[in-house]
């Protein structure tokens, strides 16, 4: 051993110590063309080390030819693994990683749109036509506008918002936890939350589901989690607005949202906080600027402390299916599910109610159903 550092490029020590930056030893276009995954690896190193990327390297990352090769030459599993490296581990910074991906116009090369359908629905119920190259890439400007919106939304994830969501003093070790990784990913996909596509089997799915499952090949639990957050975020945003306006929270609506999102409800709530900030920024006439981070913290505290709704999805019905059939003389079938749903709603509204009170309510509900059918 010589105990000496050999600098084969002749500039390694300078780039590491004198002027820290992320560079390639050869021409960056040649380096990235040889293995386009190095685009994402360079971003991962830049984010983890806090080093800027060399300007020539950034220009190569923006090259349409390099981006096309990243889309079609690199397996989606490798893309997902590199992205996961930006999200987890020491010095990981998922927000900064996605901001850099967006700044370098790489979002469409990382998060691919589905090829199975040429039409997707937007959040207003209209349709956006997605035309494809042979390689499967969209030509319309709608998608690129969506990625630009993603950049703006990420900018709203300020430190106070993060601090409020993770440092509340009212939570305990048994409370549902905030997931930073899923929060950042869901916020980035917010502009696409209501966009759907129809697959070859004529089934409708969220585009966000495709991006997580097929584009970056994350685990199925991540696909399920992002789907759940996307489907519930507007409900949480509505509760945030109502709670901010009237100062009280509907126990029933909050409970039903928690039962649908389960352990993800805290993360979904804080995605809704960012959504409300985004909506507020889009309002042309802003008569009142609201502190949505403070509103989110207050709502989380109400749910966990005042309403004691955390883990309400584990609540067992007072009357199971067999008991419902016997008590109300119900036929077997879908109608049992209807009465089970009504029972859960009653239990959410009456946390101290008894089994007898619950059965009385269901009998009244049964009479109302019979009257409506007449």
């Amino acid at each position: 051993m010589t105990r000496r550092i050999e600098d084969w490029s002749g500039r390694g020590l300078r780039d590491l110590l004198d002027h820290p930056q992320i560079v390639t030893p050869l021409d960056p276009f040649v380096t990235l063309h040889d293995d386009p995954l190095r685009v994402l690896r360079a971003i991962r190193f830049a984010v983890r080390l806090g080093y800027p990327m060399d300007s020539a390297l950034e220009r190569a990352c923006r090259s349409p030819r390099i981006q096309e090769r990243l889309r079609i030459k690199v397996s989606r599993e490798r893309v997902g693994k590199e992205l996961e490296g930006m999200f987890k581990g020491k010095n990981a910074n998922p927000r900064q990683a996605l901001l850099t991906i967006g700044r370098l116009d790489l979002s469409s090369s990382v998060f691919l749109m589905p090829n199975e359908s040429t039409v997707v629905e937007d959040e207003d119920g209209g349709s956006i036509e997605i035309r494809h190259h042979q390689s499967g890439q969209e030509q319309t400007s709608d998608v690129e506008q969506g990625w630009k919106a993603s950049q703006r939304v990420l900018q709203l994830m300020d430190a106070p918002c993060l601090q409020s969501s993770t440092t509340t003093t009212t939570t305990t070790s048994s409370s549902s936890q905030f997931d930073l990784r899923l929060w950042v990913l869901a916020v980035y996909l917010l502009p696409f939350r209501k966009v759907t596509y129809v697959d070859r089997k004529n089934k409708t799915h969220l585009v966000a589901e495709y991006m997580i499952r097929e584009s970056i090949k994350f685990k199925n639990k991540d696909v399920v989690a992002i789907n759940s957050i996307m489907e519930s975020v507007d409900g949480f945003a509505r509760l945030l607005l109502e709670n901010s306006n009237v100062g009280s929270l509907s126990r029933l609506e909050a409970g039903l949202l928690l039962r649908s999102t389960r352990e993800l409800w805290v993360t979904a709530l804080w995605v809704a906080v960012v959504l409300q900030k985004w909506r507020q920024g889009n309002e042309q006439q802003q008569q009142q600027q609201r502190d949505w981070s403070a509103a989110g913290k207050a709502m989380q505290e109400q749910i966990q402390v005042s309403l004691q709704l955390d883990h309400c999805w584990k609540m067992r019905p007072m009357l199971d299916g067999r008991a419902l059939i016997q008590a109300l003389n119900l036929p077997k079938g879908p109608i049992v599910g209807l009465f089970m749903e009504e029972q859960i709603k009653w239990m959410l509204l009456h946390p101290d109610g008894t089994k007898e009170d619950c059965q009385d309510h269901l009998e009244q509900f049964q009479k109302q159903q019979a009257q409506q059918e007449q």
Side-chain angles (χ1 to χ4, degrees):
M1 295 180 62
T2 63
R3 295 184 179 275
R4 299 177 64 184
I5 297 176
E6 296 187 15
D7 186 0
W8 291 94
S9 68
R11 63 180 192 183
L13 290 177
R14 181 198 67 187
D15 292 333
L16 181 64
L17 301 177
D18 297 337
H19 302 286
Q21 59 180 338
I22 304 298
V23 298
T24 55
L26 302 176
D27 179 274
F29 187 87
V30 174
T31 299
L32 301 185
H33 188 273
D34 181 54
D35 183 1
L37 187 67
R38 290 168 180 164
V39 171
L40 299 182
R41 193 164 298 150
I43 294 174
R44 176 163 63 88
F45 289 156
V47 170
R48 282 187 176 274
L49 299 174
Y51 289 178
M53 294 174 65
D54 176 65
S55 58
L57 175 58
E58 288 200 355
R59 286 195 297 272
C61 289
R62 288 192 173 96
S63 164
R65 186 175 177 183
I66 296 298
Q67 293 180 0
E68 179 76 0
R69 287 182 64 81
L70 177 60
R71 285 192 291 265
I72 65 177
K73 295 295 184 181
V74 180
S75 72
R76 293 289 102 189
E77 288 82 2
R78 293 181 71 202
V79 170
K81 184 177 181 180
E82 203 63 49
L83 195 65
E84 192 69 90
M86 303 179 196
F87 280 29
K88 297 170 65 176
K90 186 178 180 181
N91 297 327
N93 189 334
R95 174 179 175 271
Q96 188 58 44
L98 290 177
L99 281 171
T100 305
I101 287 173
R103 181 173 59 82
L104 297 177
D105 301 323
L106 289 163
S107 297
S108 291
S109 298
V110 175
F111 298 95
L112 304 185
M113 296 290 287
N115 296 332
E116 288 87 341
S117 176
T118 57
V119 177
V120 295
E121 295 181 3
D122 64 19
E123 63 179 77
D124 296 319
S127 62
I128 304 172
E129 184 178 359
I130 305 292
R131 298 187 300 273
H132 299 283
H133 295 299
Q134 290 182 352
S135 60
Q137 293 308 307
E138 64 277 5
Q139 295 178 334
T140 58
S141 61
D142 300 283
V143 175
E144 292 306 321
Q145 289 300 318
W147 291 125
K148 290 180 180 179
S150 293
Q151 289 290 100
R152 294 194 296 271
V153 176
L154 279 180
Q155 297 287 352
L156 299 175
M157 300 175 69
D158 54 10
C161 183
L162 176 59
Q163 184 178 14
S164 297
S165 63
T166 56
T167 60
T168 176
T169 58
T170 58
T171 58
T172 65
S173 59
S174 62
S175 300
S176 297
Q177 300 299 307
F178 172 81
D179 191 315
L180 173 63
R181 173 177 166 275
L182 287 176
W183 183 47
V184 175
L185 191 55
V187 166
Y188 195 59
L189 299 180
L190 263 180
F192 300 93
R193 71 190 183 283
K194 293 187 178 180
V195 181
T196 61
Y197 74 100
V198 180
D199 66 15
R200 294 173 181 173
K201 296 181 179 180
N202 206 32
K203 294 183 179 180
T204 302
H205 306 270
L206 292 178
V207 163
E209 173 188 336
Y210 180 92
M211 292 177 179
I212 304 301
R213 185 191 302 278
E214 303 298 338
S215 294
I216 58 177
K217 296 292 185 179
F218 274 15
K219 294 180 179 179
N220 188 61
K221 66 176 183 179
D222 293 323
V223 178
V224 173
I226 292 297
N227 250 11
S228 178
I229 292 172
M230 292 298 169
E231 291 173 349
S232 64
V233 64
D234 284 276
F236 277 106
R238 185 180 64 254
L239 278 186
L240 265 173
L241 181 60
E242 292 176 357
N243 193 38
S244 179
N245 286 336
V246 301
S248 62
L249 193 62
S250 167
R251 181 182 178 86
L252 176 59
E253 289 189 53
L256 291 176
L257 273 175
L258 263 64
R259 287 180 65 85
S260 68
T261 51
R262 303 172 73 86
E263 292 87 351
L264 296 167
W265 76 265
V266 177
T267 305
L269 168 61
W270 285 95
V271 175
V273 168
V274 179
L275 176 58
Q276 287 296 73
K277 289 186 175 186
W278 183 31
R279 286 172 171 169
Q280 181 170 262
N282 289 336
E283 292 176 359
Q284 294 182 353
Q285 295 181 349
Q286 301 176 22
Q287 298 180 353
Q288 181 182 4
Q289 289 284 340
R290 305 193 190 193
D291 186 346
W292 290 111
S293 293
K297 183 177 181 180
M299 182 169 159
Q300 180 178 343
E301 186 170 321
Q302 277 185 274
I303 290 173
Q304 291 177 320
V305 180
S306 303
L307 300 179
Q308 294 286 306
L309 280 172
D310 202 1
H311 301 293
C312 67
W313 54 90
K314 297 180 180 179
M315 179 177 64
R316 301 182 65 177
M318 294 179 176
L319 298 167
D320 60 18
R322 178 177 294 183
L324 280 175
I325 292 174
Q326 293 178 349
L328 303 176
N329 194 27
L330 295 175
K332 294 181 179 180
I335 192 171
V336 178
L338 175 66
F339 279 83
M340 188 66 73
E341 290 178 7
E342 182 63 23
Q343 176 182 199
I344 293 298
K345 292 178 181 179
W346 185 90
M347 292 175 64
L348 287 171
L349 287 171
H350 304 86
D352 299 322
T354 65
K355 182 177 180 180
E356 290 73 20
D357 292 337
C358 181
Q359 183 170 331
D360 289 342
H361 169 77
L362 292 176
E363 289 173 354
Q364 291 298 319
F365 178 72
Q366 187 177 32
K367 292 178 181 178
Q368 294 173 4
Q369 292 295 111
Q371 291 174 357
Q372 292 176 3
E373 293 175 358
Q374 292 179 354

